[in-house]
Amino acid sequence: MTAPETGRGIAGFPGSAGTFRILHVSTGNVCRSPITERLTRHALADRLGDPLTGGLIVESAGTWGHEGAPMETNAETVLADFGADASGFMGRELLDDHVIRADLVLTATRDHRAQVISMGHSAGLRTFTLKEFTRLVRAIDPTTLPEPDGNGVVERARALVRAAAALRGWLLAPNVEADEVYDPYGAPLPFFRSVGDEINQALDPVVTALTGVPAHT
């Protein structure tokens, strides 16, 4: 099956040709999406050294984002558990420009996915829940993707999104909960840690597929 072509946000956006932007979306942008953003950055650094040299940019925002707010203390603790950097984070409210510039939008829940898609900007083919994208990525033969040499990581990432979009109607979730990462806001640290583990497990095959490099063991 030939995957449909996805855009790179708005054509001609400065720097868009050589970069690939991943946008993580949750509700307040103080728990799930900050954890996912920083775990993604940490995993990319583990595989690539400096993710920016590969053209990969990782950001986050919230559909009801607490603009300028720090992430929750328990979220910082979860990131520390994984050795990931929580410093300098500030919450953002999801804006049209964030969606326009994103090459891949990964949301915590199906509700967030629907909200992103409802904003327009041809976001449907590049917006998935995190767990949905993981399920689709697992079904993609990595040998069909471009080799991640030089600027190949960006081209590989774009090809991965196209392939996942093509598979979406064929590879459905086993149940409605399978694509959800539930909100730990206000919950005790053990629940935050379980959510962090859940996010980290979902990210591992995604980062491996993006970079072509498995996790260091």
Side-chain angles (χ1 to χ4, degrees):
M1 176 181 295
T2 301
E5 192 71 30
T6 60
R8 297 193 295 274
I10 294 297
F13 183 85
S16 64
T19 60
F20 184 91
R21 288 180 178 268
I22 303 170
L23 176 66
H24 294 294
V25 175
S26 62
T27 303
N29 194 213
V30 292
C31 298
R32 288 168 291 181
S33 50
I35 291 172
T36 316
E37 173 197 313
R38 294 307 175 93
L39 285 181
T40 304
R41 291 186 186 182
H42 181 67
L44 288 171
D46 181 60
R47 319 293 171 93
L48 299 177
D50 180 1
L52 289 178
T53 63
L56 301 178
I57 299 170
V58 186
E59 303 171 310
S60 65
T63 55
W64 291 89
H66 300 181
E67 190 72 30
M71 73 176 75
E72 286 288 293
T73 301
N74 283 346
E76 292 184 346
T77 301
V78 167
L79 290 174
D81 289 344
F82 287 100
D85 183 13
S87 65
F89 181 85
M90 289 194 299
R92 301 194 304 175
E93 181 180 355
L94 181 66
L95 302 176
D96 289 270
D97 188 53
H98 301 147
V99 177
I100 288 168
R101 299 198 305 170
D103 297 282
L104 172 62
V105 183
L106 296 176
T107 70
T109 69
R110 291 170 300 141
D111 252 3
H112 297 131
R113 182 185 65 195
Q115 289 178 67
V116 171
I117 293 171
S118 74
M119 294 171 72
H121 314 302
S122 303
L125 291 177
R126 50 195 167 92
T127 302
F128 310 79
T129 75
L130 170 62
K131 287 186 170 182
E132 173 192 22
F133 195 66
T134 300
R135 183 176 69 254
L136 298 171
V137 161
R138 287 184 186 278
I140 295 167
D141 181 352
T143 65
T144 65
L145 301 172
E147 288 296 321
D149 302 324
N151 197 40
V153 172
V154 168
E155 293 308 318
R156 183 182 180 93
R158 291 178 185 150
L160 187 68
V161 173
R162 291 195 297 270
L167 281 174
R168 178 150 46 190
W170 298 89
L171 196 62
L172 303 179
N175 53 64
V176 293
E177 289 82 21
D179 288 340
E180 307 280 293
V181 176
Y182 290 107
D183 194 354
Y185 185 75
L189 181 57
F191 187 69
F192 265 84
R193 283 186 161 134
S194 71
V195 168
D197 287 338
E198 190 178 352
I199 290 170
N200 190 60
Q201 289 175 27
L203 281 174
D204 180 66
V206 171
V207 176
T208 298
L210 283 169
T211 63
V213 181
H216 295 150
T217 56

Coordinates of all heavy atoms in Angstrom, one line a residue, residues 45-128:
A45 N 18.5 11.5 22.5 CA 19.9 11.8 22.8 C 20.7 10.5 23.0 O 21.9 10.4 22.6 CB 20.0 12.7 24.0
D46 N 20.1 9.5 23.6 CA 20.7 8.2 23.8 C 21.0 7.5 22.5 O 22.1 6.9 22.4 CB 19.7 7.3 24.6 CG 20.3 6.0 24.9 OD1 21.4 5.9 25.6 OD2 19.7 4.9 24.5
R47 N 20.2 7.7 21.5 CA 20.4 7.0 20.2 C 21.3 7.9 19.3 O 22.1 7.3 18.5 CB 19.1 6.8 19.5 CG 17.9 6.3 20.3 CD 18.1 4.9 20.9 NE 17.0 4.6 21.8 CZ 15.9 4.0 21.5 NH1 15.7 3.6 20.3 NH2 15.0 3.8 22.5
L48 N 21.1 9.2 19.3 CA 21.8 10.0 18.3 C 22.9 10.9 18.8 O 23.6 11.5 18.0 CB 20.7 10.9 17.6 CG 19.6 10.3 16.9 CD1 18.6 11.3 16.3 CD2 20.1 9.4 15.7
G49 N 23.0 11.0 20.1 CA 24.0 12.0 20.7 C 23.3 13.3 20.9 O 22.7 13.5 22.0
D50 N 23.2 14.1 19.9 CA 22.5 15.4 19.9 C 21.3 15.3 18.9 O 21.6 15.3 17.7 CB 23.4 16.5 19.6 CG 22.7 17.9 19.6 OD1 21.5 17.9 19.9 OD2 23.4 18.9 19.3
P51 N 20.1 15.2 19.4 CA 18.9 15.1 18.5 C 18.8 16.2 17.5 O 18.4 16.0 16.4 CB 17.7 15.1 19.5 CG 18.2 14.7 20.8 CD 19.7 15.2 20.9
L52 N 19.3 17.5 17.9 CA 19.1 18.6 17.0 C 20.0 18.4 15.8 O 19.7 18.9 14.7 CB 19.5 19.9 17.7 CG 18.4 20.4 18.7 CD1 18.9 21.6 19.4 CD2 17.1 20.6 18.0
T53 N 21.1 17.7 15.9 CA 22.0 17.5 14.7 C 21.3 16.6 13.7 O 21.6 16.7 12.5 CB 23.3 16.8 15.1 OG1 23.1 15.5 15.7 CG2 24.1 17.7 16.2
G54 N 20.3 15.8 14.1 CA 19.6 15.0 13.2 C 18.3 15.7 12.7 O 17.6 15.2 11.9
G55 N 18.1 17.0 13.2 CA 17.0 17.8 12.7 C 15.7 17.5 13.4 O 14.6 17.9 13.0
L56 N 15.7 16.7 14.5 CA 14.5 16.4 15.2 C 14.3 17.4 16.4 O 15.2 17.6 17.2 CB 14.6 14.9 15.8 CG 14.8 13.8 14.8 CD1 14.9 12.5 15.5 CD2 13.7 13.8 13.8
I57 N 13.1 18.0 16.4 CA 12.7 18.9 17.4 C 11.5 18.4 18.2 O 10.5 18.0 17.5 CB 12.4 20.3 16.8 CG1 13.6 20.8 16.0 CG2 11.9 21.3 17.8 CD1 13.3 22.1 15.2
V58 N 11.6 18.4 19.5 CA 10.5 17.8 20.3 C 9.9 18.9 21.2 O 10.7 19.5 22.0 CB 11.0 16.6 21.1 CG1 9.9 15.9 21.9 CG2 11.7 15.6 20.3
E59 N 8.6 19.0 21.1 CA 7.9 20.1 21.9 C 6.7 19.5 22.5 O 6.3 18.3 22.3 CB 7.5 21.2 21.0 CG 8.7 21.9 20.2 CD 8.3 22.8 19.2 OE1 7.4 22.5 18.4 OE2 8.8 24.0 19.2
S60 N 6.0 20.3 23.3 CA 4.7 19.9 23.9 C 3.8 21.1 24.1 O 4.3 22.2 24.2 CB 4.9 19.1 25.2 OG 5.4 19.9 26.2
A61 N 2.5 20.8 24.3 CA 1.5 21.8 24.6 C 0.3 21.2 25.1 O 0.1 19.9 25.1 CB 1.2 22.7 23.3
G62 N -0.6 22.0 25.7 CA -1.9 21.4 26.3 C -3.1 22.0 25.7 O -3.1 23.3 25.4
T63 N -4.2 21.2 25.5 CA -5.4 21.8 25.0 C -6.0 22.8 25.9 O -6.8 23.7 25.5 CB -6.4 20.6 24.7 OG1 -6.6 19.9 25.9 CG2 -5.9 19.7 23.6
W64 N -5.8 22.6 27.2 CA -6.1 23.7 28.2 C -4.8 24.0 29.0 O -4.7 24.0 30.2 CB -7.1 23.2 29.2 CG -8.5 23.0 28.6 CD1 -9.0 21.9 28.0 CD2 -9.5 24.0 28.5 NE1 -10.3 22.2 27.5 CE2 -10.6 23.4 27.9 CE3 -9.6 25.3 29.0 CZ2 -11.8 24.1 27.6 CZ3 -10.8 26.0 28.8 CH2 -11.9 25.4 28.1
G65 N -3.8 24.3 28.2 CA -2.4 24.4 28.7 C -2.3 25.5 29.8 O -2.9 26.6 29.6
H66 N -1.5 25.2 30.8 CA -1.2 26.2 31.9 C 0.0 27.0 31.4 O 1.1 26.7 31.7 CB -0.9 25.5 33.2 CG -2.1 24.7 33.7 ND1 -2.0 24.0 34.9 CD2 -3.3 24.4 33.2 CE1 -3.2 23.4 35.1 NE2 -4.0 23.6 34.0
E67 N -0.3 28.1 30.7 CA 0.8 28.9 30.0 C 1.8 29.4 31.1 O 1.5 30.0 32.0 CB 0.1 30.1 29.3 CG 1.1 30.8 28.4 CD 1.4 30.1 27.1 OE1 0.6 29.3 26.6 OE2 2.6 30.3 26.6
G68 N 3.1 29.0 30.8 CA 4.1 29.5 31.7 C 4.3 28.7 33.0 O 5.2 29.0 33.7
A69 N 3.5 27.7 33.2 CA 3.5 26.9 34.5 C 4.7 25.9 34.4 O 5.0 25.3 33.4 CB 2.2 26.2 34.7
P70 N 5.3 25.6 35.6 CA 6.2 24.5 35.6 C 5.5 23.2 35.6 O 4.3 23.1 35.8 CB 6.9 24.7 37.0 CG 5.8 25.3 37.8 CD 5.0 26.2 36.9
M71 N 6.2 22.1 35.2 CA 5.6 20.8 35.3 C 5.3 20.4 36.8 O 6.0 20.9 37.7 CB 6.4 19.8 34.5 CG 7.6 19.3 35.2 SD 8.5 18.0 34.3 CE 9.2 18.9 32.9
E72 N 4.4 19.5 37.0 CA 4.1 19.0 38.3 C 5.4 18.4 38.9 O 6.2 17.7 38.2 CB 3.0 17.9 38.3 CG 1.7 18.5 38.0 CD 1.1 19.2 39.2 OE1 0.9 18.6 40.2 OE2 1.0 20.5 39.1
T73 N 5.5 18.6 40.2 CA 6.7 18.0 40.9 C 6.9 16.5 40.8 O 8.0 16.0 40.6 CB 6.6 18.4 42.4 OG1 6.5 19.8 42.6 CG2 7.8 17.8 43.2
N74 N 5.7 15.8 40.8 CA 5.8 14.4 40.6 C 6.3 14.0 39.2 O 6.9 13.0 39.0 CB 4.4 13.7 40.9 CG 4.2 13.6 42.4 OD1 5.1 13.7 43.2 ND2 2.9 13.3 42.7
A75 N 5.9 14.8 38.2 CA 6.4 14.6 36.8 C 7.9 14.8 36.8 O 8.6 14.0 36.1 CB 5.7 15.6 35.9
E76 N 8.4 15.8 37.5 CA 9.9 16.0 37.5 C 10.6 14.8 38.2 O 11.6 14.3 37.7 CB 10.2 17.2 38.3 CG 9.8 18.5 37.7 CD 10.2 19.8 38.5 OE1 10.6 19.6 39.7 OE2 10.2 20.9 37.9
T77 N 10.0 14.2 39.2 CA 10.5 13.1 39.9 C 10.6 11.9 38.9 O 11.6 11.1 38.9 CB 9.7 12.7 41.1 OG1 9.7 13.8 42.0 CG2 10.3 11.5 41.8
V78 N 9.5 11.7 38.2 CA 9.5 10.6 37.2 C 10.6 10.7 36.2 O 11.3 9.7 35.8 CB 8.1 10.5 36.5 CG1 8.1 9.6 35.3 CG2 7.0 10.1 37.5
L79 N 10.8 11.9 35.7 CA 11.8 12.1 34.7 C 13.2 11.9 35.3 O 14.1 11.3 34.7 CB 11.8 13.6 34.2 CG 10.6 13.9 33.3 CD1 10.5 15.3 32.9 CD2 10.6 13.0 32.0
A80 N 13.4 12.3 36.6 CA 14.7 12.0 37.3 C 14.9 10.5 37.4 O 16.0 10.0 37.3 CB 14.7 12.6 38.6
D81 N 13.8 9.7 37.6 CA 13.9 8.3 37.7 C 14.6 7.7 36.4 O 15.3 6.7 36.4 CB 12.6 7.6 37.8 CG 12.0 7.9 39.2 OD1 12.7 8.3 40.1 OD2 10.7 7.6 39.4
F82 N 14.3 8.3 35.2 CA 14.8 7.9 34.0 C 16.1 8.5 33.5 O 16.6 8.3 32.5 CB 13.7 8.1 32.9 CG 12.5 7.1 32.9 CD1 11.3 7.5 33.5 CD2 12.6 5.8 32.5 CE1 10.3 6.7 33.6 CE2 11.6 5.0 32.5 CZ 10.4 5.4 33.1
G83 N 16.5 9.5 34.4 CA 17.7 10.2 34.0 C 17.5 11.3 33.0 O 18.5 11.8 32.4
A84 N 16.2 11.7 32.8 CA 15.9 12.7 31.8 C 15.9 14.1 32.5 O 15.6 14.2 33.7 CB 14.5 12.4 31.2
D85 N 16.1 15.1 31.7 CA 16.2 16.5 32.2 C 14.9 17.2 32.2 O 14.2 17.3 31.2 CB 17.2 17.2 31.2 CG 17.4 18.7 31.7 OD1 17.1 19.0 32.8 OD2 18.0 19.4 30.9
A86 N 14.5 17.7 33.4 CA 13.2 18.4 33.5 C 13.4 19.9 33.6 O 12.4 20.6 33.6 CB 12.5 17.9 34.8
S87 N 14.6 20.4 33.5 CA 14.9 21.8 33.7 C 14.4 22.7 32.6 O 14.3 22.3 31.5 CB 16.4 22.0 33.9 OG 17.1 21.7 32.7
G88 N 14.0 23.9 33.0 CA 13.6 24.9 32.0 C 12.3 24.7 31.4 O 11.9 25.5 30.5
F89 N 11.5 23.8 31.9 CA 10.2 23.6 31.2 C 9.2 24.6 31.6 O 9.1 25.0 32.8 CB 9.6 22.2 31.6 CG 8.3 21.9 31.0 CD1 8.3 21.4 29.7 CD2 7.1 22.2 31.6 CE1 7.0 21.2 29.1 CE2 5.9 22.0 31.0 CZ 5.9 21.5 29.7
M90 N 8.4 25.1 30.7 CA 7.3 26.0 30.9 C 6.1 25.5 30.1 O 6.2 25.2 28.9 CB 7.6 27.4 30.6 CG 8.6 28.1 31.5 SD 8.7 29.9 31.3 CE 9.2 30.0 29.6
G91 N 4.9 25.4 30.7 CA 3.7 24.9 30.0 C 3.3 25.9 28.9 O 3.5 27.1 29.0
R92 N 2.6 25.3 27.9 CA 2.1 26.1 26.8 C 0.7 25.7 26.5 O 0.3 24.5 26.6 CB 2.9 25.9 25.5 CG 4.4 26.2 25.7 CD 5.1 26.3 24.3 NE 4.9 25.1 23.6 CZ 5.3 24.9 22.3 NH1 5.9 25.9 21.7 NH2 5.2 23.8 21.7
E93 N -0.1 26.7 26.1 CA -1.5 26.4 25.6 C -1.3 26.1 24.1 O -0.6 26.7 23.4 CB -2.4 27.6 25.7 CG -3.8 27.4 25.2 CD -4.7 28.6 25.4 OE1 -4.3 29.6 26.0 OE2 -5.8 28.5 24.9
L94 N -2.0 25.0 23.7 CA -1.9 24.6 22.3 C -2.5 25.7 21.3 O -3.6 26.1 21.5 CB -2.7 23.3 22.1 CG -2.7 22.7 20.7 CD1 -1.3 22.3 20.3 CD2 -3.7 21.5 20.5
L95 N -1.7 26.1 20.4 CA -2.1 27.1 19.4 C -2.0 26.6 18.0 O -1.4 25.6 17.7 CB -1.1 28.3 19.5 CG -1.0 29.0 20.9 CD1 0.1 30.1 20.8 CD2 -2.3 29.6 21.3
D96 N -2.7 27.3 17.1 CA -2.7 26.9 15.7 C -1.3 26.7 15.2 O -1.0 25.8 14.4 CB -3.5 27.9 14.9 CG -5.0 27.9 15.1 OD1 -5.7 27.1 14.4 OD2 -5.5 28.6 16.0
D97 N -0.4 27.7 15.5 CA 0.9 27.6 15.0 C 1.7 26.4 15.4 O 2.5 25.9 14.6 CB 1.7 28.9 15.5 CG 3.0 29.0 14.8 OD1 3.1 29.0 13.6 OD2 4.1 29.1 15.6
H98 N 1.4 25.9 16.6 CA 2.1 24.6 17.0 C 1.7 23.5 16.1 O 2.5 22.6 15.7 CB 1.7 24.3 18.5 CG 2.0 25.3 19.5 ND1 1.3 25.6 20.6 CD2 3.1 26.2 19.5 CE1 1.9 26.5 21.3 NE2 2.9 26.9 20.6
V99 N 0.4 23.4 15.8 CA -0.1 22.3 14.9 C 0.4 22.5 13.5 O 0.8 21.6 12.8 CB -1.6 22.3 14.9 CG1 -2.2 21.2 14.0 CG2 -2.1 22.0 16.4
I100 N 0.4 23.8 13.0 CA 0.9 24.1 11.7 C 2.3 23.6 11.5 O 2.7 23.0 10.4 CB 0.7 25.6 11.4 CG1 -0.7 26.0 11.2 CG2 1.5 26.0 10.1 CD1 -1.0 27.4 11.2
R101 N 3.1 23.8 12.5 CA 4.6 23.5 12.3 C 4.9 22.1 12.6 O 6.0 21.6 12.2 CB 5.4 24.4 13.3 CG 5.2 25.9 13.0 CD 6.3 26.7 13.6 NE 6.5 26.6 15.0 CZ 7.5 27.0 15.7 NH1 8.4 27.7 15.1 NH2 7.6 26.9 17.0
A102 N 4.0 21.3 13.2 CA 4.3 20.0 13.6 C 4.3 19.0 12.4 O 3.3 19.0 11.6 CB 3.4 19.5 14.7
D103 N 5.3 18.1 12.3 CA 5.3 17.0 11.4 C 4.6 15.8 11.9 O 4.1 15.0 11.1 CB 6.7 16.7 11.0 CG 7.4 17.9 10.3 OD1 7.1 18.1 9.1 OD2 8.2 18.5 11.0
L104 N 4.6 15.7 13.2 CA 3.9 14.5 13.9 C 3.4 15.0 15.2 O 4.1 15.7 16.0 CB 5.0 13.4 14.2 CG 4.5 12.3 15.0 CD1 3.3 11.5 14.4 CD2 5.7 11.3 15.3
V105 N 2.1 14.8 15.5 CA 1.5 15.2 16.7 C 1.1 13.9 17.4 O 0.3 13.1 16.9 CB 0.2 16.1 16.5 CG1 -0.4 16.5 17.9 CG2 0.5 17.3 15.7
L106 N 1.6 13.7 18.7 CA 1.2 12.5 19.5 C 0.5 13.0 20.7 O 1.0 13.8 21.5 CB 2.5 11.8 19.8 CG 3.3 11.2 18.7 CD1 4.6 10.6 19.1 CD2 2.5 10.2 17.9
T107 N -0.7 12.5 20.9 CA -1.6 12.9 22.0 C -1.7 11.9 23.1 O -1.5 10.7 22.8 CB -3.0 13.3 21.5 OG1 -3.7 12.1 21.0 CG2 -2.9 14.3 20.3
A108 N -2.1 12.3 24.3 CA -2.3 11.4 25.4 C -3.5 10.5 25.2 O -3.5 9.3 25.5 CB -2.3 12.1 26.7
T109 N -4.6 11.1 24.6 CA -5.9 10.4 24.5 C -6.5 10.7 23.2 O -6.1 11.5 22.4 CB -6.8 10.9 25.6 OG1 -7.2 12.2 25.3 CG2 -6.2 10.8 27.0
R110 N -7.6 9.9 22.9 CA -8.3 10.1 21.7 C -9.0 11.4 21.6 O -9.2 12.0 20.6 CB -9.3 8.9 21.5 CG -8.6 7.6 21.2 CD -9.6 6.4 21.3 NE -10.2 6.4 22.6 CZ -11.5 6.1 22.9 NH1 -12.3 5.8 21.9 NH2 -11.9 6.0 24.1
D111 N -9.4 11.9 22.8 CA -10.1 13.2 22.9 C -9.1 14.3 22.5 O -9.5 15.2 21.7 CB -10.5 13.5 24.4 CG -12.0 13.5 24.6 OD1 -12.7 13.2 23.6 OD2 -12.4 13.8 25.7
H112 N -7.9 14.2 22.9 CA -6.9 15.2 22.5 C -6.6 15.1 21.0 O -6.5 16.2 20.3 CB -5.5 15.0 23.2 CG -5.6 15.1 24.7 ND1 -5.1 14.2 25.6 CD2 -6.1 16.1 25.5 CE1 -5.3 14.6 26.8 NE2 -5.9 15.8 26.8
R113 N -6.6 13.9 20.5 CA -6.4 13.7 19.0 C -7.5 14.4 18.3 O -7.3 15.1 17.3 CB -6.3 12.2 18.7 CG -6.1 11.9 17.2 CD -6.2 10.4 17.0 NE -7.5 9.9 17.2 CZ -7.8 8.6 17.4 NH1 -6.9 7.7 17.3 NH2 -9.1 8.3 17.6
A114 N -8.8 14.2 18.7 CA -9.9 14.8 18.1 C -9.8 16.3 18.1 O -10.2 17.1 17.1 CB -11.2 14.3 18.7
Q115 N -9.4 16.9 19.3 CA -9.3 18.3 19.4 C -8.2 18.9 18.4 O -8.4 20.0 17.8 CB -9.0 18.7 20.8 CG -10.1 18.5 21.8 CD -9.8 18.8 23.2 OE1 -9.5 20.0 23.6 NE2 -9.7 17.8 24.1
V116 N -7.1 18.2 18.3 CA -6.0 18.7 17.4 C -6.6 18.7 16.0 O -6.4 19.6 15.2 CB -4.8 17.8 17.5 CG1 -3.8 18.2 16.4 CG2 -4.1 18.0 18.9
I117 N -7.2 17.6 15.6 CA -7.7 17.4 14.2 C -8.7 18.5 13.9 O -8.8 19.0 12.8 CB -8.2 16.0 14.0 CG1 -7.0 15.0 14.0 CG2 -8.9 15.9 12.6 CD1 -7.4 13.6 14.0
S118 N -9.6 18.8 14.9 CA -10.6 19.8 14.7 C -10.1 21.2 14.5 O -10.8 22.1 14.0 CB -11.6 19.8 15.9 OG -11.0 20.5 17.0
M119 N -8.8 21.4 14.8 CA -8.2 22.7 14.5 C -7.9 22.9 13.1 O -7.6 24.1 12.6 CB -6.9 22.9 15.4 CG -7.2 22.9 16.9 SD -5.7 22.8 17.9 CE -5.0 24.5 17.6
G120 N -8.0 21.8 12.3 CA -7.7 22.0 10.8 C -6.2 21.8 10.5 O -5.5 21.0 11.1
H121 N -5.8 22.6 9.5 CA -4.4 22.6 9.1 C -3.9 21.2 8.6 O -2.7 20.9 8.7 CB -3.5 23.0 10.3 CG -3.9 24.2 11.0 ND1 -4.2 25.4 10.4 CD2 -4.3 24.4 12.3 CE1 -4.6 26.3 11.3 NE2 -4.7 25.7 12.5
S122 N -4.9 20.5 8.0 CA -4.6 19.1 7.4 C -3.8 18.3 8.5 O -2.9 17.5 8.1 CB -3.7 19.3 6.2 OG -4.3 20.1 5.2
A123 N -4.3 18.3 9.7 CA -3.5 17.6 10.8 C -3.9 16.2 10.9 O -3.2 15.4 11.6 CB -3.8 18.3 12.1
G124 N -5.0 15.7 10.2 CA -5.5 14.4 10.4 C -4.5 13.3 10.1 O -4.4 12.3 10.9
L125 N -3.7 13.4 9.1 CA -2.8 12.4 8.7 C -1.5 12.4 9.5 O -0.7 11.4 9.3 CB -2.4 12.5 7.2 CG -3.6 12.2 6.2 CD1 -3.1 12.5 4.8 CD2 -4.1 10.8 6.3
R126 N -1.3 13.3 10.3 CA 0.0 13.4 11.1 C -0.3 13.5 12.6 O 0.6 13.8 13.4 CB 0.9 14.5 10.7 CG 0.2 15.9 10.6 CD 1.0 16.9 9.8 NE 0.2 18.0 9.4 CZ 0.2 19.1 10.1 NH1 0.8 19.2 11.3 NH2 -0.6 20.1 9.7
T127 N -1.6 13.2 13.0 CA -1.9 13.2 14.4 C -2.4 11.9 14.9 O -3.4 11.3 14.3 CB -3.0 14.3 14.7 OG1 -2.6 15.6 14.2 CG2 -3.4 14.4 16.1
F128 N -1.8 11.3 15.9 CA -2.2 10.0 16.5 C -2.1 10.1 18.0 O -1.4 11.0 18.6 CB -1.1 9.0 16.1 CG -0.8 8.9 14.6 CD1 0.1 9.9 14.0 CD2 -1.3 7.9 13.8 CE1 0.4 9.8 12.7 CE2 -1.0 7.9 12.5 CZ -0.2 8.8 11.9

